[in-house]
Structures are given as structure tokens and as C-alpha cells.
Amino acid sequence: MKICRTIEELTSTIEEIKQENKTIGLVPTMGALHEGHKSLFRKAREENDVFISSVFVNPIQFNNKEDFEKYPRDEQKDLNILEECGCDIAFVPTADEIYKQEPKEFHFGALEQVMEGKQRPGHFSGVANIVSRLFLWTKADRGYFGEKDYQQIAIIKEMIRQENINIEIVSCPIYRDEDGLATSSRNQRLSPEARKIAPKIHQILEKSYLQRNSLSLSQIKRFVEDEFEKIKDFELEYFLIVDDTTLQPIHTKNPGHGVVGCVAVWLDGVRLIDIQRYY
Ligand code: PAF
């Protein structure tokens, strides 16, 4: 595995690869790699000649300084995992390297006025800055993202449309621990007691899914909110039922579109998100 720390090292390596007409799959990460990342790595490894991953805790996508500072970092462990997963190139830059050129402001209209975009001002502009740069430098044919960050995928698709970047966005199913908790780097910040409660997020969503034929979307919303209310350790930030493409809250399903429930909840000082597809 080749480790590149500068844009120049990365782009000159890419030039050589592209001369051989090889396909490139990119998995951008912020490190603290877990089983969820590994499922993306497997897919990128299988579907491309060359598999690249980046490890960069992107400061400009954190609107909460404490969250940025507490974000788990262990470069050597991450590099070992990447190597085990058959990664060809690991891009591990510093913030000075990435932002030699000042970040720009992205705007995504209604797509970013709900959920994560609403709760975390500037977050998606920060994500779009790093992801667009990675796409351009790596000249990737495919970019792999986990569906837990459902809104992020919609934003990235809109970003490549705005920037005219030719890349296929591959959306990958959530990887869950055996007890149903969606894997996330933030899970390691939960106390052992909170870790036992956390799978209830998925359990509540699944329970609501099973009632989708007898309840309206508004009733499902109320049901989920009530279930979270019953468990005192949870503090629900939002639960919204949205159109799977526009991400706008809906009360009835739009013909031809899917319906997704998106949740953000605080537990033990850690903010967790998850999703449930209803249709
Ligand atoms: O999903 C993430 O881990 C990050 O938002 C990403 C896509 C790596 C950009 O920093």
C-alpha cells in the first residue's frame, strides 16, 4: 500500500494509474475505521482495479469544536486496517495541505434545510469542500458512501451535479453490530451502560416499520417519538419521515418515490443517527 501525504504525491500517482486505463474506487473516511468502513472497502476493492481511501478528520465540517477535538484518531491502526482490506493508496493529508486553497461556500437549497443541515450549520458545505477536492485529485470512477449518512449522499450527488464532476456515487447499506446498532466511530465514546441501550434506536425504528400498513406516516412519526420519550436516557433531536429523493418531510408517499425515516438522538453525551426505509 502506498501512503501519500501531499496532493502532489497523490496526483502524480494517479497520473500513472490513469495512463494504464485502470478504474479507481475511492472511499473517503475520517479514520477511526470500523466494520462499517470495511464493508465499503470490500465493495470498492471488488469493483475497481485500484482502491484508494483517504483518512482525514475534516475540521470545517464540524460545527461543534468539542466534537472535532474528541473525534477518535489512531493513524497507525487505520493504516493497518486499510492494508488488510487490500487498499492500494492511502491518502493521509494534513488540514494545511487540504486547505492550501481556501474552502468555498456550497449551497444546497431545500436539501440542506432539514435534518443534519438544519441542526449543523455549515456542515454540508464542509463535507462538499473535502469530497469535491478528493474526487478531483483522485479522478475516481466511483465514490463509496454509507447510507447511515443518508442526507450526505443526497448532498454529494447534488454537489457533483453543481460541479460537473463525472463520478458514480455508490450508496452502501448500513452495517449493523449483531444487536442492531448502526456502526459509527462515535459508538466507542458510549459508556458500557449506554452501549447496551443504544440498539433500542434500531429496535424502535423496526417496530415502527412493522406497523407501516396500519398506521399513517404521521402516526408512525408520533409512535417513534413516543417510544423515544419512554426511554429517559435518550434525548431525541429529530425524527422526520421524508421523501427519499427530495428529503422533504411528507405526510403521504409520493408516487414512484421511497419513504425514509431519519433520526438523530443523544445518548450519554453522544449524538447518534440512523435511518429506516418504510417504502
Ligand atoms: O462520512 C464521513 O465520514 C465524512 O463526512 C466524509 C465523507 C469522509 C467527508 O469528510
Side-chain angles (χ1 to χ4, degrees):
M1 181 173 78
K2 178 161 185 180
I3 299 172
C4 296
R5 294 190 183 272
T6 64
I7 300 162
E8 206 187 317
E9 277 176 287
L10 176 68
T11 50
S12 61
T13 311
I14 298 296
E15 281 317 309
E16 288 166 24
I17 296 167
K18 279 289 155 188
Q19 272 166 22
E20 296 171 38
N21 276 331
K22 288 183 172 164
T23 58
I24 298 177
L26 169 71
V27 186
T29 83
M30 298 206 297
L33 302 176
H34 50 65
E35 291 301 320
H37 292 111
K38 287 188 195 171
S39 68
L40 306 187
F41 298 157
R42 279 193 290 274
K43 215 163 155 48
R45 178 65 288 168
E46 265 168 39
E47 295 181 351
N48 303 278
D49 299 323
V50 174
F51 153 38
I52 304 183
S53 185
S54 55
V55 176
F56 176 62
V57 186
N58 178 29
I60 69 165
Q61 75 182 73
F62 286 83
N63 56 321
N64 176 329
K65 197 164 166 256
E66 200 186 329
D67 196 22
F68 174 65
E69 278 159 8
K70 282 194 181 163
Y71 206 84
R73 292 166 174 88
D74 188 339
E75 185 184 296
Q76 196 49 53
K77 191 169 163 207
D78 289 338
L79 290 175
N80 292 343
I81 293 176
L82 285 175
E83 184 131 48
E84 280 162 24
C85 292
C87 180
D88 297 300
I89 302 168
F91 182 46
V92 195
T94 61
D96 286 344
E97 182 69 11
I98 293 287
Y99 293 116
K100 268 194 244 176
Q101 202 186 335
E102 287 284 296
K104 74 173 203 180
E105 235 180 82
F106 281 84
H107 297 283
F108 299 106
L111 267 188
E112 66 174 343
Q113 278 152 22
V114 289
M115 305 191 288
E116 297 303 286
K118 184 171 172 196
Q119 302 295 340
R120 307 174 64 187
H123 168 66
F124 284 126
S125 184
V127 170
N129 267 280
I130 179 64
V131 173
S132 58
R133 289 170 197 219
L134 291 171
F135 284 174
L136 293 171
W137 294 327
T138 59
K139 296 200 166 100
D141 299 276
R142 299 186 186 87
Y144 294 79
F145 297 89
E147 268 200 347
K148 181 166 70 69
D149 296 293
Y150 193 80
Q151 191 174 13
Q152 172 168 276
I153 296 182
I155 294 279
I156 289 170
K157 287 182 177 164
E158 172 59 17
M159 179 278 286
I160 62 168
R161 197 194 60 77
Q162 289 180 9
E163 298 291 295
N164 219 350
I165 300 175
N166 185 15
I167 183 169
E168 180 190 343
I169 303 301
V170 185
S171 157
C172 306
I174 294 183
Y175 191 93
R176 297 183 184 278
D177 285 347
E178 261 171 37
D179 57 14
L181 177 65
T183 55
S184 162
S185 309
R186 290 189 171 87
N187 294 354
Q188 47 176 287
R189 277 164 48 195
L190 295 168
S191 67
E193 297 76 51
R195 177 63 191 76
K196 283 191 204 134
I197 298 166
K200 293 200 187 302
I201 300 170
H202 179 55
Q203 286 163 16
I204 293 173
L205 293 175
E206 263 197 324
K207 229 157 108 186
S208 72
Y209 171 80
L210 295 174
Q211 302 189 60
R212 76 192 192 290
N213 292 330
S214 52
L215 299 184
S216 67
L217 295 184
S218 309
Q219 286 168 327
I220 291 178
K221 184 170 189 299
R222 177 84 52 80
F223 171 82
V224 169
E225 287 168 349
D226 288 348
E227 290 293 302
F228 276 106
E229 182 75 41
K230 282 186 206 158
I231 301 170
K232 291 295 162 224
D233 301 87
F234 285 138
E235 198 192 313
L236 186 64
E237 191 173 286
Y238 65 77
F239 173 67
L240 288 183
I241 298 182
V242 302
D243 179 284
D244 73 342
T245 313
T246 66
L247 300 193
Q248 299 311 297
I250 45 172
H251 297 289
T252 46
K253 181 182 172 320
N254 292 321
H257 284 201
V259 176
V260 186
C262 301
V263 68
V265 59
W266 287 88
L267 171 64
D268 191 29
V270 182
R271 187 174 184 275
L272 300 171
I273 59 172
D274 204 343
I275 67 155
Q276 173 68 53
R277 283 182 187 279
Y278 291 102
Y279 298 100

